[in-house]
């Protein structure tokens, strides 16, 4: 048997992830452009997944996630140690007066598993935030630091790398990222170890050093809770 990865399987999973992440009905050509592969191949993949209920078409023949996605989502949540361990702790211990987020890195995009804002309910915090390019996310910056500068510079254009580089260096040196945005917001993130995820605090405005230090302490404490074995 070949030890090479199965490209059809890889493309099928990527196709499904891009479709689900789009948050709307999407045509084959647009999806093919996002993925960087042939339109005919994308159409074949989507039709194959439609035959088992993972995708479906609207009246304009654009594709949407199908009913099989609900079963897949429920099974994934049940099988995820990150979900089962982290969510009760976030509900109990996450600060309620700022943005608290937990996300993972996928193809240079950050997928948010949890994203709460002041006053939001748990149901709103679960997977309720769109994905972001990793270079625009403090979680992405924190997780990309595990890769070499040489590898990262191949994947990001100069403008993106200029924003990434100092934060990647900060993560490697200090074990966390603190990002002072141009508009006065401060956000911070810390990886969660084996889960290939990171925890972030954001929505802190015009914060001075004392506030940042206090929030960093809260971030480290919550991250430690999330990574402790039950």
């Amino acid at each position: 048997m070949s030890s090479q990865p199965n490209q059809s399987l890889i493309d099928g999973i990527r196709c499904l992830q891009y479709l689900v992440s789009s948050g709307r009905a999407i045509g084959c050509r647009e999806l093919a452009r996002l993925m960087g592969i042939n339109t005919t191949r994308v159409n074949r993949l989507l039709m194959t997944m439609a035959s088992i209920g993972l995708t479906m078409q609207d009246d304009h023949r654009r594709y949407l996630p199908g009913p099989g996605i609900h079963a897949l989502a429920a099974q994934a949540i049940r099988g995820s140690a990150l979900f089962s361990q982290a969510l009760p702790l976030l509900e109990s211990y996450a600060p309620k007066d700022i943005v608290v987020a937990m996300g993972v890195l996928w193809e240079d995009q950050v997928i948010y598993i949890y994203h709460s804002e002041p006053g939001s309910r748990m149901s709103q915090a679960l997977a309720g935030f769109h994905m972001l390019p990793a270079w625009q996310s403090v979680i992405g910056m924190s997780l990309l630091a595990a890769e070499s500068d040489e590898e990262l510079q191949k994947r990001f254009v100069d403008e993106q790398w200029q924003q990434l580089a100092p934060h990647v260096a900060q993560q490697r040196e200090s074990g966390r990222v603190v990002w002072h945005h141009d508009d006065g917001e401060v956000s911070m993130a810390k990886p969660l170890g084996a889960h290939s995820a990171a925890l972030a605090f954001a929505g802190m405005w015009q914060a001075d050093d004392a506030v940042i230090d206090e929030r960093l302490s809260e971030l480290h404490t919550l991250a430690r809770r999330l990574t402790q074995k039950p």
Side-chain angles (χ1 to χ4, degrees), residues 85-96 100 114 116 121-123 222 226:
Q85 181 176 340
L87 295 185
L89 295 172
L90 287 168
E91 186 173 22
S92 297
Y93 299 108
K96 302 297 190 290
V100 178
Y114 179 96
S116 72
R121 299 187 299 271
M122 174 65 82
S123 59
L222 184 54
L226 297 179

Side-chain angles (χ1 to χ4, degrees), residues 9 15 41 54 65 81 93 149-150 168 173 186 207 226 228:
L9 179 59
C15 186
R41 182 171 182 80
L54 290 175
Y93 299 108
D149 285 354
E150 291 75 18
V168 164
E173 181 178 348
V186 176
L226 297 179
Q228 283 176 341

Side-chain angles (χ1 to χ4, degrees), residues 19-172:
L19 176 65
V20 172
S21 298
S22 70
R24 57 183 173 83
I26 190 168
C28 288
R29 290 182 181 177
E30 184 180 356
L31 195 53
R33 192 162 55 247
L34 288 171
M35 294 177 61
I37 64 175
N38 183 273
T39 303
T40 302
R41 182 171 182 80
V42 169
N43 187 52
R44 187 166 62 247
L45 290 168
L46 289 168
M47 290 178 62
T48 298
M49 288 187 284
S51 71
I52 57 173
L54 290 175
T55 64
M56 58 188 290
Q57 286 182 290
D58 65 8
D59 294 339
H60 300 284
R61 302 186 63 79
R62 295 171 302 188
Y63 279 91
L64 292 161
I69 285 292
H70 303 306
L72 186 61
Q75 290 166 328
I77 289 171
R78 189 165 60 247
S80 169
L82 182 60
F83 259 109
S84 59
Q85 181 176 340
L87 295 185
L89 295 172
L90 287 168
E91 186 173 22
S92 297
Y93 299 108
K96 302 297 190 290
D97 59 334
I98 57 173
V99 173
V100 178
M102 183 174 69
V104 295
L105 196 60
W106 173 70
E107 290 209 345
D108 294 337
Q109 300 283 327
V110 171
I111 309 297
Y112 289 88
I113 298 170
Y114 179 96
H115 190 282
S116 72
E117 298 185 3
S120 66
R121 299 187 299 271
M122 174 65 82
S123 59
Q124 295 171 301
L126 293 177
F129 195 74
H130 57 85
M131 68 181 184
L132 276 181
W135 67 277
Q136 295 179 0
S137 164
V138 71
I139 285 178
M141 294 169 172
S142 182
L143 293 173
L144 286 171
E147 304 183 45
S148 69
D149 285 354
E150 291 75 18
E151 181 59 36
L152 294 175
Q153 285 176 291
K154 293 176 186 176
R155 303 207 304 270
F156 295 97
V157 301
D158 289 345
E159 177 193 355
Q160 296 167 347
W161 176 242
Q162 285 173 9
Q163 179 154 302
L164 268 176
H167 298 102
V168 164
Q170 187 184 88
Q171 172 63 53
R172 292 171 183 156

